[in-house]
Amino acid sequence: MKLILYTWSTIILCLFASCSPNKGLHPSPIDVKFGDPYVLLASDGHYYMYGTGGVKNGFGCYKSDDLKNWEYLGAVYQGNTPESWAKANFWAPEVYEKDGRFYMFFSADWKENPNNERENFHIGVAVSDSPAGPFKEISDRPLFSPGYPAIDGNVLFDKDGRCYLYFSRCCYKHPVESEVAEWAREKGMFDEIEESWIYGVEIKPDFSGIIGEPVLLLCPPSKMSDKQAEWESRSVTSGEVNRRWTEGSFIIERDGTYYMMYSANFFGGENYAVGYATSDSPLGPFVKSADNPVLEKDTERGGVVTGVGHNSITWSRDGKQLYCVYHGRTAATGNERVVFIEKMEIKDGKLKVQP
């Protein structure tokens, strides 16, 4: 065991000190103060951005023609009303255009909480005739209730016409045994490590519910020998918090391969980072890329950006250029999250940001 602990500590120190030649400095952020940003290229030719923050108990929206200059349109959804099932902690909105209408998937605390859980997050859907809102909930309850808190809904409209929802089970009351958890106990850092996992499930075409049971798709590595373990465990190994996250998923299909981007580590810390995994099926199994992470802090390379994560993907109007949209923090913004947009590509089966 001592040899394992020594080896793991050595790996951590070496990898923290190293930097990948494929990862440069982050660009300057755009003038939008959102977390969990999502950009929709609507059929009207305009870009619309939604995200966490800026509106109490709801969500705001920005509009752009060039992904650089953004006009604030104000609040487009309001929760915590007598009619709303959603009470607090409004997070991670994503908007999809379908049959001439716009559907917002979002996370919030459900008013129905008989056991008085501290984290009672669920995913709901609101609809509007315009990407600029106003969005109204399609039901008086969440999309589904899996028996644990769920956040970060992301939707895939697959080629065969089926729809799939991807979401993260929260860390709350979810301790998981692993070699990392054992290492943390041996170090006297944490008694247990809670984890969040990503699931996928088919949803009804009218978004009124799910079809079947959620399938586990991604979770943190259990073995220290796993090449993903170092970067996905930094919030634990740095002593920051006793949780390992797999969250903020975003999926895209290219040439029969499904690419799922996801975020790991504490969203409020400097080690938040993004990787991706691939599969031949929308419900897996998914294999994590050896190139992970594809987005991480750049302070070890002379930059000023930390806490990068929870990304989405948008496109140029001609569909030829992909863009990665994510949030981060800079030396100037402090704890406030701001939005970054970078070019990305999928080529030869590999996904790269800043190609």
Side-chain angles (χ1 to χ4, degrees), residues 64-103:
S64 176
D65 289 324
D66 58 9
L67 294 175
K68 297 178 182 178
N69 302 291
W70 293 86
E71 172 193 3
Y72 185 55
L73 302 182
V76 295
Y77 162 81
Q78 192 66 57
N80 196 22
T81 64
E83 301 80 20
S84 174
W85 64 264
K87 180 179 180 180
N89 293 315
F90 293 84
W91 294 335
E94 296 193 358
V95 175
Y96 302 87
E97 186 173 358
K98 183 177 185 288
D99 300 330
R101 306 195 80 190
F102 298 85
Y103 295 85

Side-chain angles (χ1 to χ4, degrees), residues 264-283:
N265 297 301
F266 178 39
F267 73 92
E270 66 175 26
N271 294 306
Y272 207 40
V274 176
Y276 77 96
T278 59
S279 175
D280 295 330
S281 166
L283 290 180

Side-chain angles (χ1 to χ4, degrees), residues 1 3-9 11-12 15 178-187 221-230 233 236-237 244:
M1 184 63 194
L3 178 59
I4 293 176
L5 294 178
Y6 174 78
T7 303
W8 181 238
S9 301
I11 291 172
I12 292 170
L15 290 176
S178 68
E179 289 185 358
V180 176
E182 184 180 356
W183 178 87
R185 278 195 297 270
E186 290 285 339
K187 289 287 186 180
S222 61
K223 300 289 186 181
M224 290 180 173
S225 57
D226 190 314
K227 292 182 179 179
Q228 309 290 336
E230 186 278 325
S233 305
V236 171
T237 55
R244 292 202 296 170

Side-chain angles (χ1 to χ4, degrees), residues 131-264:
F135 287 87
K136 300 296 182 182
E137 294 163 30
I138 67 172
S139 173
D140 63 356
R141 57 193 301 109
L143 178 62
F144 69 114
S145 184
Y148 47 79
I151 59 172
D152 297 347
N154 173 242
V155 177
L156 171 72
F157 296 89
D158 206 12
K159 297 176 295 184
D160 62 3
R162 292 182 175 182
C163 297
Y164 295 90
L165 174 74
Y166 302 88
F167 66 93
S168 176
R169 171 182 182 162
C170 294
C171 294
Y172 179 64
K173 292 185 176 180
H174 191 223
V176 178
E177 282 301 316
S178 68
E179 289 185 358
V180 176
E182 184 180 356
W183 178 87
R185 278 195 297 270
E186 290 285 339
K187 289 287 186 180
M189 298 170 68
F190 305 110
D191 293 331
E192 63 181 21
I193 305 299
E194 296 176 311
E195 295 186 357
S196 70
W197 295 353
I198 291 175
Y199 289 79
V201 67
E202 187 176 354
I203 57 175
K204 296 178 180 179
D206 62 357
F207 309 137
S208 62
I210 63 174
I211 300 173
E213 294 297 322
V215 178
L216 175 61
L217 302 179
L218 290 176
C219 59
S222 61
K223 300 289 186 181
M224 290 180 173
S225 57
D226 190 314
K227 292 182 179 179
Q228 309 290 336
E230 186 278 325
W231 79 272
E232 291 192 29
S233 305
R234 290 173 183 173
S235 286
V236 171
T237 55
S238 66
E240 190 173 46
V241 69
N242 71 322
R243 286 181 165 183
R244 292 202 296 170
W245 281 266
T246 313
E247 64 174 25
S249 62
F250 192 96
I251 192 165
I252 184 174
E253 184 271 335
R254 280 290 185 271
D255 299 322
T257 298
Y258 297 84
Y259 297 81
M260 179 181 288
M261 302 184 77
Y262 65 97
S263 297

Side-chain angles (χ1 to χ4, degrees), residues 270-322:
E270 66 175 26
N271 294 306
Y272 207 40
V274 176
Y276 77 96
T278 59
S279 175
D280 295 330
S281 166
L283 290 180
F286 281 85
V287 177
K288 296 178 182 179
S289 170
D291 297 327
N292 289 342
V294 293
L295 279 174
E296 61 181 329
K297 62 184 178 181
D298 64 11
T299 48
E300 277 91 3
R301 302 184 292 278
V304 297
V305 180
T306 63
V308 296
H310 199 127
N311 74 289
S312 63
I313 298 172
T314 195
W315 297 261
S316 59
R317 291 185 178 87
D318 61 9
K320 295 181 179 180
Q321 179 62 61
L322 295 174

